[in-house]
Amino acid sequence: MHPTDLTATAAQLPLAWSSLTVSQTETARVKVLRMDGRPVPEERHDDPEALLVLDGRLLLTVDGHPVTVGPGELYEVPARTPHAVRPGSRGTLVIVERRN
């Protein structure tokens, strides 16, 4: 297996906020996507998810509270916690989630 350039992979995706699975194990899935400034409506998941910003900035509202995640920072959204992406989020985002 060869290293994956996640930033380059995200830049080549045809649509922003459309993730691509780049790796998976029996229990976890790693996805990459490109953020383009548009908001994403509130959602919840049965399992926690880890959000890693490679470059740019992710602006969230988590359980009603603003959260900013910068380059090189990781944020874990707890299971069943409402969260939404606020306008202005740009850059490359990696999502690690439980594989069902």
Side-chain angles (χ1 to χ4, degrees):
M1 178 161 213
H2 299 281
T4 302
D5 183 334
L6 296 174
T7 302
T9 299
Q12 293 174 5
L13 292 172
L15 299 172
W17 296 110
S18 178
S19 64
L20 174 70
T21 298
V22 293
S23 181
Q24 54 188 355
T25 66
E26 282 200 29
T27 58
R29 178 178 294 117
V30 179
K31 303 187 298 188
V32 66
L33 61 82
R34 179 172 41 87
M35 303 178 286
D36 70 348
R38 290 181 294 151
V40 176
E42 184 176 282
E43 58 185 12
R44 298 170 192 242
H45 308 285
D46 289 335
D47 297 306
E49 67 179 356
L51 307 174
L52 171 64
V53 175
L54 296 183
D55 59 74
R57 192 159 308 281
L58 173 61
L59 306 173
L60 297 169
T61 299
V62 179
D63 205 16
H65 303 285
V67 174
T68 299
V69 187
E73 293 181 333
L74 176 73
Y75 183 80
E76 183 180 327
V77 179
R80 296 175 293 286
T81 301
H83 59 286
V85 177
R86 299 189 321 245
S89 297
R90 295 185 184 278
T92 307
L93 178 64
V94 174
I95 301 171
V96 181
E97 63 187 13
R98 180 168 295 193
R99 183 176 173 191
N100 296 326

